[in-house]
């Protein structure tokens, strides 16, 4: 790799994070403990609105716990978007249920809410909206559909910290559970990790128990004064999804920087939109700032305009030749062998996602990127597309 190669994403980890991780290591408490408790409390308090936060070792784990807690069972159907990472759908299969993949809205690239209505059956139990790239789905509509048909909502908010929908932070809406990801390339990172956010005490209790082997703290706590420290009760075959204090040490400081991170991401995104406006590109939707929408700018996804003769793959290749990293979010799930073959999915049923997939490129966007780095990307695109 050339020394001036510009990656498409990079974490932004400072001395504060490193110090806190060392503190965890020196303390002798490396698994879930005081730093995780603090991270959960501070994360919940950032969101406000009385939500509780449960730290997990990945968003995938969090999505699995959420679906388990709302009672998804074998044969159930859960509706989600085809334009997402496979994790969104795989957790549905973990429980023996079936993902029902629908097409997207051409403007936002989020799930098409009218398409949700068309695939509801008596076996439908839940909707999993994904706030693609960090722009909120049309949640008023999603919530209205869920109410009308008696469905649960689990939000895949892996891209959406912090995202606002009509002035309210994702994680605080009237849905059952919301899950954020702290994977290395997300808006904040703990290396690997995720956060579940919910309000319903019964769901919270179930997810906490299932996060750690189905061990019930209540059964344990009931007798704390009399029961010996070694005693515990297993009430279900749970999972091993807890977050370590080493990871939470990172999270505590990443969270404190999140507003600054967002400001920088937004600055870069707006500059892209301003400087790329004259090119034959479809630029990302921002949501309505008047209505109080706020994009997290996890990803900056452009699409080649209809007049562009050079293909998407060639553009990626040309950018790469110029030392610029990009990515594609995502190869739609209906194209992936497992999902395509298991559910007999055809590209013809996903015209919008197909069109988006064929033309999309995720440009470099991360807080440590300099303005000069960004000018390189802009100049390269101008060179390639003119
Ligand atoms: C990253 C991501 C996940 C999974 O997050 P992990 O923390 O890596 O498990 C799930 N859904 C979407 C849309 C993602 O981008």
């Amino acid at each position: 790799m050339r020394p001036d190669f510009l990656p498409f994403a990079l974490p932004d980890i400072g001395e504060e994070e490193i110090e806190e991780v060392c503190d965890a290591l020196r303390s002798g408490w490396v698994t879930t403990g005081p730093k995780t408790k603090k991270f959960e409390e501070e994360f919940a308090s950032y969101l406000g609105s009385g939500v509780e936060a449960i730290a997990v070792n990945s968003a995938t784990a969090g999505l699995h716990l959420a679906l388990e807690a709302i009672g998804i069972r074998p044969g159930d159907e859960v509706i989600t978007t085809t334009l997402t990472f496979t994790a969104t759908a795989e957790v549905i299969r973990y429980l023996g249920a079936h993902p029902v993949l629908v097409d997207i809205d051409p403007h936002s690239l989020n799930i098409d809410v009218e398409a949700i209505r068309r695939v509801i059956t008596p076996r439908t139990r839940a909707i999993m909206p994904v706030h693609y790239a960090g722009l909120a789905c049309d949640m008023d509509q999603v919530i209205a559909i869920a109410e009308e048909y008696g469905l649960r909502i689990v939000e895949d908010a892996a891209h959406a910290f912090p995202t606002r929908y009509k002035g309210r932070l994702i994680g605080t809406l009237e849905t059952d559970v919301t899950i954020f990801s702290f994977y290395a390339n997300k808006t904040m990172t703990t290396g690997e990790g995720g956060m579940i956010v919910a309000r319903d005490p019964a769901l919270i209790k179930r997810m906490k128990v299932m996060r750690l082997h189905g061990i019930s703290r209540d059964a344990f706590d009931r007798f704390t004064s009399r029961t010996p420290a070694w005693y515990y009760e297993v009430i279900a075959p749970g999972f091993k999804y807890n977050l370590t204090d080493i990871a939470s040490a990172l999270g505590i400081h990443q969270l404190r920087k999140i507003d600054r991170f967002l400001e920088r991401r937004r600055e870069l995104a707006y500059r892209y939109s301003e400087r790329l406006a004259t090119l034959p590109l479809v630029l990302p939707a921002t949501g309505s700032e008047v209505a109080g929408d706020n994009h997290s700018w996890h990803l900056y996804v452009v699409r080649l305009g209809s007049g562009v003769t050079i293909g998407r793959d060639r553009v990626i290749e040309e950018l790469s030749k110029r030392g610029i990293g990009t990515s594609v979010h995502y190869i739609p799930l209906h194209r992936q062998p497992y999902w395509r073959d298991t559910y007999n999915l055809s590209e013809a049923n996903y015209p919008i996602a197909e069109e988006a997939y064929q033309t999309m490129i995720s440009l470099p966007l991360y807080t440590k990127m300099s303005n000069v780095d960004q000018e390189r990307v802009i100049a390269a695109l101008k060179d390639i597309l003119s």
Side-chain angles (χ1 to χ4, degrees):
M1 209 187 285
R2 47 195 275 186
D4 65 342
F5 185 82
L6 191 69
F8 122 85
L10 259 191
D12 189 343
I13 291 164
E15 287 308 313
E16 302 85 350
E17 283 88 333
I18 293 167
E19 259 313 304
E20 195 80 35
V21 167
C22 290
D23 187 62
L25 296 175
R26 289 194 192 100
S27 77
W29 200 294
V30 290
T31 183
T32 310
K35 290 198 196 298
T36 302
K37 190 165 188 303
K38 184 173 178 183
F39 181 35
E40 289 175 334
E41 283 167 3
E42 291 184 0
F43 195 88
S45 113
Y46 181 94
L47 291 176
S49 300
V51 298
E52 192 165 329
I54 305 168
V56 281
N57 56 23
S58 73
T60 308
L63 291 164
H64 184 196
L65 289 177
L67 293 184
E68 198 276 341
I70 63 167
I72 297 299
R73 300 159 69 104
D76 288 349
E77 292 173 2
V78 179
I79 300 170
T80 191
T81 169
T82 187
L83 195 67
T84 186
F85 186 54
T86 194
T88 318
E90 81 194 30
V91 294
I92 301 167
R93 291 297 299 132
Y94 289 0
L95 294 157
H98 304 294
V100 177
L101 304 175
V102 301
D103 207 356
I104 53 170
D105 170 80
H107 182 62
S108 65
L109 307 184
N110 274 322
I111 193 164
D112 174 352
V113 287
E114 285 314 309
I116 295 176
R117 287 183 184 277
R118 288 196 293 271
V119 297
I120 291 172
T121 76
R123 289 179 304 279
T124 307
R125 296 285 173 270
I127 306 170
M128 289 174 79
V130 179
H131 307 295
Y132 178 83
L135 179 66
C137 294
D138 187 350
M139 290 306 292
D140 282 349
Q141 287 300 317
V142 173
I143 291 167
I145 294 170
E147 273 172 9
E148 189 179 336
Y149 293 92
L151 307 175
R152 313 300 290 264
I153 302 174
V154 171
E155 295 175 71
D156 180 340
H159 300 183
F161 188 70
T163 290
R164 278 180 195 273
Y165 173 72
K166 298 189 178 174
R168 297 168 67 195
L169 283 166
I170 291 299
T172 67
L173 307 183
E174 285 74 33
T175 62
D176 293 287
V177 189
T178 303
I179 295 93
F180 298 96
S181 172
F182 308 135
Y183 180 68
N185 70 3
K186 299 289 169 36
T187 52
M188 61 169 268
T189 187
T190 58
E192 298 280 358
M195 194 69 85
I196 301 172
V197 165
R199 277 204 197 86
D200 179 339
L203 289 180
I204 289 166
K205 189 171 150 194
R206 179 68 182 178
M207 292 188 286
K208 281 184 170 172
V209 165
M210 295 308 278
R211 171 176 63 170
L212 199 66
H213 302 296
I215 290 171
S216 172
R217 278 274 148 207
D218 287 358
F220 178 75
D221 288 342
R222 231 180 320 171
F223 304 104
T224 35
S225 55
R226 298 204 183 153
T227 313
W230 50 262
Y231 186 78
Y232 59 87
E233 287 186 358
V234 175
I235 60 160
F239 309 103
K240 187 68 196 328
Y241 285 166
N242 56 304
L243 190 68
T244 68
D245 265 25
I246 301 171
S248 294
L250 276 163
I252 287 166
H253 291 280
Q254 291 273 290
L255 177 62
R256 288 179 190 165
K257 297 175 182 178
I258 195 67
D259 289 333
R260 184 160 66 66
F261 285 172
L262 174 62
E263 205 173 303
R264 178 62 182 154
R265 282 182 179 277
R266 186 189 290 137
E267 197 174 272
L268 288 162
Y270 283 14
R271 189 178 300 115
Y272 268 141
S273 291
E274 199 184 297
R275 308 269 280 112
L276 299 175
T278 54
L279 293 182
L281 292 171
V282 180
L283 301 176
T286 58
S288 162
E289 279 180 7
V290 179
D293 293 340
N294 191 143
H295 202 304
S296 75
W297 295 111
H298 164 51
L299 299 173
Y300 190 91
V301 179
V302 297
R303 285 173 279 166
L304 302 180
S306 48
V308 179
T309 48
I310 167 173
R312 186 272 314 276
D313 296 3
R314 265 294 302 288
V315 175
I316 288 179
E317 225 177 274
E318 290 296 323
L319 285 167
S320 173
K321 270 192 215 159
R322 290 163 176 79
I324 294 164
T326 56
S327 192
V328 172
H329 294 91
Y330 295 91
I331 304 166
L333 295 184
H334 68 261
R335 278 183 169 251
Q336 294 291 2
Y338 173 77
W339 301 113
R340 184 193 60 210
D341 300 345
T342 305
Y343 294 105
N344 238 320
L345 304 176
S346 148
E347 287 163 22
N349 290 329
Y350 301 94
I352 311 295
E354 274 298 309
E355 157 91 31
Y357 166 61
Q358 312 270 1
T359 56
M360 63 167 48
I361 305 171
S362 301
L363 300 182
L365 180 66
Y366 49 97
T367 53
K368 289 181 81 169
M369 185 174 165
S370 71
N371 294 351
V372 175
D373 292 336
Q374 187 177 31
E375 286 306 325
R376 256 180 73 197
V377 182
I378 293 163
L381 279 168
K382 286 191 167 163
D383 181 34
I384 296 161
L385 294 174
S386 57

